[in-house]
Amino acid sequence: MAHSGHWPTCATSQYASAAGRANPDTGEGRAVHDVLDPDSDRGRVYRSLVGHPREPVGRLAARTGLGETAVRAVLKELAAADIVMTTDAGGGEESWEALPPTQVVEALLQRDAALWTALRQAGTELEKLYRFARRDAGHYGALEVVEDAARVLAVSRQLQQSACHQLRTIDVPPYSGTVDHYLGQEVLQRERMAAGVVYRTIYHGSAFDDPIAGPNMARMIEAGEQARTLDDPPMKLAIVDSELAVVTLAADDHPGVVSLLVRPSSLFRALSNVFESLWRLAVPVSATGIGTQIDARDRQILTLMASGATDDAIARRLGMGRRTVVRRVSVLLARLGATTRFQAGVQAGRRGWL
């Protein structure tokens, strides 16, 4: 395929990177994902209804410390998501009731599963495009196919060197690089992060078990990389700013891989959206607490957490001291990379811990 081979640079880029700097955790897809977080407005309203059924708006506002207008807006969102419902308080006054927390968690998990299905369909369409491009690449000017193994590795390095603001990556097995390759990658990534480039990476759930790639990933997270994990990401992808995306796939007719270079286009925007959707689904990780085993007592604690139980309630139910429960909950949050109890419950469900 004929192409200029030009790589974007910070000085010559004609595309703004505002989208790259945008907060990845915004959007309607996360509108009610914090409903069990007691520090959020939705969490305060929902938790109040869990403990005080059939509450009118006025009493909800008083209990939560929110204005009635804010409470009504939250209730409208939660009702649309089938998390709360209206009831008759008598005397013509409208009141509200919470749906069971376990039902809420299950509904959110089902929505995430539906999103996974849609993303995999997008991956299937991308595979069709790849095969079409190999037959007659000239029909899609934004796409370039790179098949030479040495150049595939060079593309990864050029991608990082050309980044001005951020590099978004989905990293999936197999990890074929040598120890020297990963050490060189570490040096380059540290240089680029020191220059202000933000690295956001989604790792495969098994990444930290790899004897060569795993230690590299842990060190990069300690150095400041923003990292999340998913059990089974659908593709290997890298996106530099708003300029270039690289999809790496197994070759059809020979050993090794090929890379698809995708420049700004509708396909580029689709790949960017896929990354952001997966980022919202993924769970943050740290370089510690990566184990995959859980004992029966922690499983009980997680199950109660997912149902909305407080530390005091968990301690009473399991016959444990409150301080012990607080300590074990803190450890579980760290192991799951979760920042809220609700997120811990969802991620534990995805891992089959519940």
Side-chain angles (χ1 to χ4, degrees):
M1 173 180 181
H3 201 284
S4 67
H6 171 70
W7 283 76
T9 64
C10 295
T12 62
S13 173
Q14 58 180 325
Y15 293 92
S17 61
R21 293 192 298 270
N23 184 347
D25 290 328
T26 60
E28 295 181 0
R30 290 181 58 88
V32 296
H33 272 61
D34 61 353
V35 69
L36 298 187
D37 181 357
D39 295 326
S40 70
D41 288 353
R42 300 182 190 94
R44 291 177 190 171
V45 171
Y46 180 71
R47 185 171 292 266
S48 181
L49 286 175
V50 168
H52 303 89
R54 296 176 297 281
E55 284 276 71
V57 171
R59 284 209 292 267
L60 276 173
R63 292 186 189 280
T64 59
L66 302 173
E68 290 194 15
T69 300
V71 169
R72 291 183 188 280
V74 169
L75 289 170
K76 182 178 180 182
E77 289 181 344
L78 298 184
D82 295 325
I83 292 174
V84 301
M85 62 182 182
T86 57
T87 61
D88 185 3
E93 185 178 15
E94 182 184 59
S95 63
W96 292 83
E97 175 66 285
L99 273 69
T102 51
Q103 179 178 331
V104 171
V105 171
E106 181 60 29
L108 291 174
L109 288 171
Q110 290 177 2
R111 290 174 198 170
D112 283 350
L115 179 56
W116 269 105
T117 299
L119 290 171
R120 292 196 179 281
Q121 290 174 347
T124 299
E125 291 302 315
L126 182 63
E127 176 72 12
K128 292 178 181 178
L129 177 59
Y130 162 66
R131 297 180 186 281
F132 168 79
R134 286 176 61 83
R135 286 197 301 270
D136 188 359
H139 284 183
Y140 199 79
L143 185 67
E144 179 181 357
V145 180
V146 177
E147 298 185 79
D148 178 71
R151 191 172 173 222
V152 168
L153 291 177
V155 163
S156 174
R157 190 171 186 85
Q158 289 175 306
L159 193 74
Q160 295 176 76
Q161 290 173 330
S162 65
C164 302
H165 302 288
Q166 75 164 334
L167 185 70
R168 296 174 285 173
T169 306
I170 300 174
D171 197 11
V172 300
Y175 303 111
S176 56
T178 64
V179 174
D180 289 342
H181 167 77
Y182 285 108
L183 290 176
Q185 162 60 26
E186 283 191 36
V187 172
L188 176 58
Q189 183 169 339
R190 289 178 188 275
E191 290 176 352
R192 301 305 295 139
M193 288 194 296
V197 176
V198 174
Y199 278 67
R200 292 167 55 204
T201 305
I202 299 172
Y203 289 110
H204 189 278
S206 65
F208 289 95
D209 297 328
D210 186 89
I212 297 179
N216 162 263
M217 298 170 191
R219 288 191 293 270
M220 290 299 92
I221 293 170
E222 289 178 336
E225 177 181 278
Q226 298 177 27
R228 299 189 177 189
T229 60
L230 281 174
D231 288 341
D232 189 20
M235 70 181 78
K236 187 185 287 285
L237 172 68
I239 305 175
V240 58
D241 297 327
S242 298
E243 297 288 350
L244 184 70
V246 179
V247 181
T248 302
L249 305 166
D252 285 336
D253 52 1
H254 59 81
V257 297
V258 296
S259 288
L260 306 180
L261 277 59
V262 183
R263 290 175 170 79
S265 59
S266 58
L267 176 58
F268 177 91
R269 289 191 295 274
L271 291 171
S272 179
N273 290 338
V274 165
F275 177 90
E276 296 301 342
S277 295
L278 291 173
W279 183 264
R280 289 191 291 269
L281 283 175
V283 61
V285 298
S286 65
T288 60
I290 304 165
T292 58
Q293 301 302 315
I294 183 173
D295 62 26
R297 182 50 59 89
D298 282 344
R299 190 184 306 275
Q300 290 176 309
I301 292 174
L302 278 170
T303 300
L304 291 170
M305 285 171 59
S307 70
T310 64
D311 292 337
D312 289 332
I314 294 172
R316 289 193 302 270
R317 179 73 175 273
L318 301 181
M320 301 171 61
R322 184 182 185 280
R323 293 172 67 179
T324 300
V325 171
V326 170
R327 183 172 63 253
R328 295 185 78 153
V329 166
S330 177
V331 171
L332 287 168
L333 288 172
R335 288 184 64 186
L336 289 162
T339 55
T340 68
R341 298 162 73 93
F342 168 66
Q343 190 180 45
V346 171
Q347 295 305 327
R350 288 180 183 153
R351 296 187 185 194
W353 288 5
L354 299 180

